[in-house]
Amino acid sequence: MSATQQLARFPSLNGKRVFVTGGGSGIGAEIVSALAEQGAVVAFVDIVKEASEALCQQIVAKGFTAPLFRHCDLRDIAALQATIAEFAAQVGDFEVLVNNAANDERHKLEDVTQEYWDNRIAINQRPAFFAAQAVAPGMKKKKAGSIINFSSISWHISGGGYPVYTTAKASMLGLTRGLARDLGGDNIRVNTVTPGWVMTERQIALWLDEQGKEDIKRNQCLPGQLLPSHLASMVLFLAADDSAMCTAQEFIVDAGWA
């Protein structure tokens, strides 16, 4: 039983169709698992095939319905939108979209070329818009939906060392607010979830050192590690009907850092 199950059940998620980007590992994998455990019909894409297939098997082993998975490079917008359409034809139009996928690769201002810029934007910004574009018609038909865009506290705290990433993540709030206005008349909610420094396996392996541990201790208001399950709990709330009148908002989950 996951931490999200122990905390809350959201009956409105049972049978709800959800599409998640970057759902094969880290925060995305926790989101996929938490939604599946709530009875949602979950479909997701990721570039990591083995981890994604293993996640599906783990969910089945717990007694829940296997998510639908498709390997997809989100830089290929045509492939992303075609995958969304294929899944929707299989399970029905999506009521929830979680734009989770991202890559916080470090880089220096002086090293960024136009090619590198375009590549980072193609991963961290562009897919969110085009995934929303793909699911919006189905949500409009249902006169209901929830789009959840992921940002990052990196730009809130003036984080350095990855300026293209902070640019892309800051833009998620503009996307959220603009779409919330455009889609609100069809009862489609659009919100941003903004994580702090979440202790995924990748973060621990690549970036967490003794200095980082001290930074967490000093900057978080709350003690302890921020975990993927904490972000999944917020996603469950925003995906569920319990958040019916929440839109155009940013929900920061960072233990008080920002």
Side-chain angles (χ1 to χ4, degrees), residues 69-70 83 101 105 148 181 186 192 246:
F69 163 67
R70 181 73 59 81
T83 300
E105 181 177 272
I148 303 165
R181 177 60 66 185
D186 289 296
T192 302
C246 297

Side-chain angles (χ1 to χ4, degrees), residues 137-187:
M139 291 182 176
K140 288 180 178 180
K141 284 191 293 183
K142 291 175 176 289
K143 292 297 181 181
S146 175
I147 297 174
I148 303 165
N149 298 318
F150 265 70
S151 182
S152 166
I153 66 161
S154 58
W155 65 272
H156 275 288
I157 63 175
S158 302
Y162 41 19
V164 186
Y165 177 77
T166 53
T167 299
K169 284 302 168 183
S171 76
M172 288 299 102
L173 271 71
L175 177 63
T176 287
R177 293 184 69 81
L179 290 182
R181 177 60 66 185
D182 290 340
L183 300 176
D186 289 296
N187 200 35

Side-chain angles (χ1 to χ4, degrees), residues 49-113:
K49 186 176 181 180
E50 290 186 5
S52 297
E53 291 175 344
L55 173 64
C56 293
Q57 293 171 2
Q58 291 164 12
I59 291 171
V60 171
K62 293 180 180 179
F64 303 103
T65 302
L68 303 174
F69 163 67
R70 181 73 59 81
H71 177 272
C72 183
D73 186 335
L74 296 183
R75 292 172 294 185
D76 186 341
I77 295 301
L80 170 63
Q81 292 195 320
T83 300
I84 292 173
E86 290 169 12
F87 279 145
Q90 183 175 348
V91 302
D93 292 321
F94 290 104
E95 290 116 333
V96 180
L97 166 66
V98 184
N99 280 315
N100 160 76
N103 187 304
D104 63 347
E105 181 177 272
R106 272 46 171 181
H107 51 272
K108 296 180 180 179
L109 170 64
E110 58 270 23
D111 294 335
V112 174
T113 62

Side-chain angles (χ1 to χ4, degrees), residues 20-26 28-29 32 44-46 48 51-53 55 69 100:
V20 182
T21 66
S25 64
V32 168
F44 73 99
V45 291
D46 203 297
V48 182
S52 297
E53 291 175 344
L55 173 64
F69 163 67
N100 160 76

